[in-house]
Amino acid sequence: MSQLPALWRNYINGQWHTGQSGNLSVDNPANLSKVADITLASPEDVDSAVAAARACHNSAVLPAMRPVERGRMVRKMGDYLLENCDEIATVLTLETGKPLDEAKGEIQGAARYFEYYANQAETLDGRAIPLGKDYIDYTVYEPFGVTAHIVPWNFPIEMIARSVAPALVTGNTCVIKTPELTPLACTYIAKAAEFSGFPAGAVNILCGYGHEAGAALSNHPDIDQMVFTGSVQTGTLIAEAAARNLVPCVLELGGKSAAIICEDADLDSVVESVRWGIFYNAGQVCSALSRIIVHQDIHDELLQRLTHLAENLSVGSHDENPDMGSLVSMDQQRRVADFCQQAQQAGAIATTGGAPLDRPGAFFQPTVFSQVTANMAIATEEVFGPVLTVQSFADDTAAIQLANSTEYSLAGGVFSNDLQRIMRLSQQLKAGQVYVNEWYAGGVETPFGGTGKSGYGREKGREGLMNYVHSKNVAIRLK
């Protein structure tokens, strides 16, 4: 691709705007070089974006369309991403530090959301309710109106697509606040909306600080729906702000997910799942497989195989074609290192890794910890890095107790060839989704979300579509 622009802007009401809060330097975490500047949105810019979204919604241009027309426009957004995948992936790689193949996979995943929800556009039917011969009663689904989307830095393009696709296909308008660390590739969503023919104000994209633009958006009185993916601390603040305006939320706040490995499990499948479950995107995944709970009879063998896996993963910048890229920032590297240091001080043993790589950039060694106890922070708190803990169990009761011992409940897994045991353990796991014999089994079609500190509401699948509509009942007396 040609040289990147030196300055990137916000997108409001169909126009590119310079933010009123100065510029932000976006850096490449793999070599600490500057990628570009992006202008920062102020609270006044947030007001302008929300007003544009409100005006577009009030015009009724989107709800007035046949659903198939909205679906075709949403589908074209995905087509645009695929047609420009190489260019967008290059930008995404530079600002996130992830390998180029992973960046391309994220773009393709984002396009899949647009495809899936485009196909759902015509399926959102109301229903008739029998009230006797003197009445006709029916329900219809209507869009909320203006939806707000605050996006995390780990999968910025895919997370926008996950919520914006169902919002648009149901006739809502969108205001999106991108992450400060990885905002550049997000701007291609605006280009995709233009390419697809969405009217001005339907899609608005802002980069701004969380305490400034994010707070202004979550507190805005003219927002009808709020979607947030990120930390528990920030999610709590957003929920409080939304509650003051009586605005419904969908919150996805992370996890500390465990897989129970039974003694009859296929260990090749377990190792492959760990490869993608904790080392993909350098472990910066909310539903990462961060804990292995393995039967004591196969603990030593599996620990050896997982250690070998981690030791043989290449780590480097995208031009080195590595198995794993860098963390998103030096701050994130320090955070992961602190977790590892505390674990070792508490008695955990790093069978491999446990420290940053000895090279410039936010790189961290693929890490496996054994001798981990349930009270260690490494076993209970979300590290958000390439760090796996391995614990053993003697019976299924102990396995479930360990798996359910954190405040999170996003994902869980079971690896076994015993169907009855799989069903029993799956029922007992405290998790919004359970992966059996393959971590990340499922897809765009399957609902995703948790409870407790993992948040509430569901994204993906049919459940994700229902976030953006409310039901209206019409009762008609015939005489």
Side-chain angles (χ1 to χ4, degrees):
M1 63 178 292
S2 58
Q3 186 174 2
L4 295 181
L7 181 65
W8 299 57
R9 292 178 172 83
N10 299 314
Y11 186 77
I12 301 173
N13 202 26
Q15 301 291 327
W16 295 100
H17 283 260
T18 299
Q20 299 181 49
S21 286
N23 294 343
L24 173 71
S25 176
V26 179
D27 299 327
N28 182 343
N31 59 22
L32 307 183
S33 65
K34 182 174 181 175
V35 179
D37 285 318
I38 188 166
T39 64
L40 289 168
S42 68
E44 292 75 20
D45 294 319
V46 172
D47 286 341
S48 297
V50 173
R54 175 59 61 195
C56 183
H57 177 69
N58 287 347
S59 75
V61 60
L62 294 180
M65 291 180 182
R66 288 178 66 110
V68 66
E69 296 173 0
R70 291 196 302 270
R72 287 167 178 162
M73 292 167 70
V74 167
R75 175 64 179 265
K76 286 184 68 176
M77 291 184 70
D79 293 342
Y80 177 88
L81 297 183
L82 293 177
E83 290 169 10
N84 295 276
C85 182
D86 288 348
E87 177 179 341
I88 304 169
T90 299
V91 176
L92 187 61
T93 289
L94 291 174
E95 60 182 340
T96 63
K98 63 180 64 180
L100 187 59
D101 285 346
E102 289 189 13
K104 290 181 179 179
E106 179 177 341
I107 307 306
Q108 293 160 0
R112 176 71 180 109
Y113 280 107
F114 287 113
E115 177 187 41
Y116 173 77
Y117 283 112
N119 292 336
Q120 293 291 314
E122 296 179 273
T123 69
L124 200 60
D125 300 323
R127 65 189 181 101
I129 301 173
L131 294 178
K133 67 182 181 63
D134 294 333
Y135 295 90
I136 293 176
D137 188 280
Y138 62 92
T139 62
V140 294
Y141 291 110
E142 295 185 345
F144 275 116
V146 178
T147 62
H149 310 253
I150 298 181
V151 181
W153 46 256
N154 56 335
F155 292 96
I157 298 289
E158 197 164 351
M159 295 302 95
I160 290 177
R162 188 172 75 179
S163 60
V164 166
L168 290 174
V169 88
T170 48
N172 296 274
T173 57
C174 304
V175 180
I176 304 156
K177 194 204 83 69
T178 64
E180 300 99 304
L181 290 172
T182 58
L184 302 182
C186 297
T187 60
Y188 285 91
I189 296 292
K191 297 179 181 181
E194 286 186 337
F195 172 81
S196 303
F198 276 97
V203 175
N204 305 271
I205 298 182
L206 310 170
C207 179
Y209 290 121
H211 67 270
E212 189 173 22
L217 185 58
S218 58
N219 283 281
H220 205 287
D222 214 17
I223 290 294
D224 300 309
Q225 164 73 317
M226 174 66 63
V227 183
F228 171 76
T229 299
S231 70
V232 173
Q233 180 181 10
T234 303
T236 301
L237 294 174
I238 287 173
E240 291 173 349
R244 285 191 292 270
N245 290 323
L246 297 179
V247 170
C249 287
V250 177
L251 302 177
E252 197 268 279
L253 306 180
K256 189 66 179 175
S257 302
I260 297 173
I261 315 299
C262 301
E263 62 272 27
D264 66 338
D266 180 344
L267 295 191
D268 289 337
S269 295
V270 174
V271 172
E272 182 68 8
S273 281
V274 169
R275 162 70 184 96
W276 298 107
I278 191 61
F279 300 123
Y280 177 71
N281 202 37
Q284 299 167 123
V285 184
C286 54
S287 53
L289 200 181
S290 57
R291 295 187 293 149
I292 288 288
I293 299 171
V294 56
H295 193 277
Q296 60 188 14
D297 290 353
I298 59 170
H299 171 273
D300 291 351
E301 179 185 356
L302 182 58
L303 178 62
Q304 183 180 22
R305 292 182 66 164
L306 296 177
T307 300
H308 181 265
L309 166 70
E311 287 176 339
N312 285 276
L313 291 174
S314 61
V315 183
S317 59
H318 72 92
D319 55 353
E320 298 169 322
N321 194 27
D323 297 317
M324 192 178 87
S326 74
L327 296 170
V328 75
S329 67
M330 295 302 294
D331 284 344
Q332 187 66 14
Q333 185 198 66
R334 284 187 285 271
R335 183 178 186 275
V336 175
D338 286 344
F339 268 108
C340 292
Q341 185 177 27
Q342 292 170 18
Q344 290 170 312
Q345 291 172 348
I349 296 174
T351 60
T352 187
L357 261 66
D358 185 18
R359 60 175 287 177
F363 297 99
F364 204 89
Q365 298 171 349
T367 300
V368 178
F369 273 106
S370 66
Q371 303 298 311
V372 175
T373 58
N375 62 339
M376 292 180 182
I378 200 80
T380 60
E381 299 181 27
E382 188 174 37
V383 177
F384 228 58
V387 179
L388 177 72
T389 65
V390 180
Q391 299 168 276
S392 66
F393 70 91
D395 56 57
D396 288 1
T397 299
I400 287 294
Q401 185 176 5
L402 277 175
N404 293 343
S405 63
T406 77
E407 295 180 311
Y408 295 99
S409 60
L410 187 57
V414 179
F415 286 75
S416 174
N417 289 311
D418 183 336
L419 182 58
Q420 290 189 1
R421 194 176 186 185
I422 288 169
M423 297 302 296
R424 185 172 61 251
L425 291 172
S426 297
Q427 290 175 344
Q428 295 173 353
L429 276 171
K430 186 177 67 174
Q433 47 277 311
V434 177
Y435 307 126
V436 176
N437 291 332
E438 179 187 74
W439 202 259
Y440 299 137
V444 172
E445 307 91 337
T446 56
F448 179 80
T451 59
K453 290 295 181 69
S454 290
Y456 52 79
R458 292 295 180 268
E459 298 191 83
K460 300 171 56 178
R462 183 75 171 180
E463 287 82 351
L465 195 70
M466 301 307 293
N467 289 331
Y468 300 96
V469 294
H470 62 87
S471 62
K472 175 190 284 186
N473 182 259
V474 180
I476 303 171
R477 181 175 173 83
L478 297 178
K479 66 176 183 177

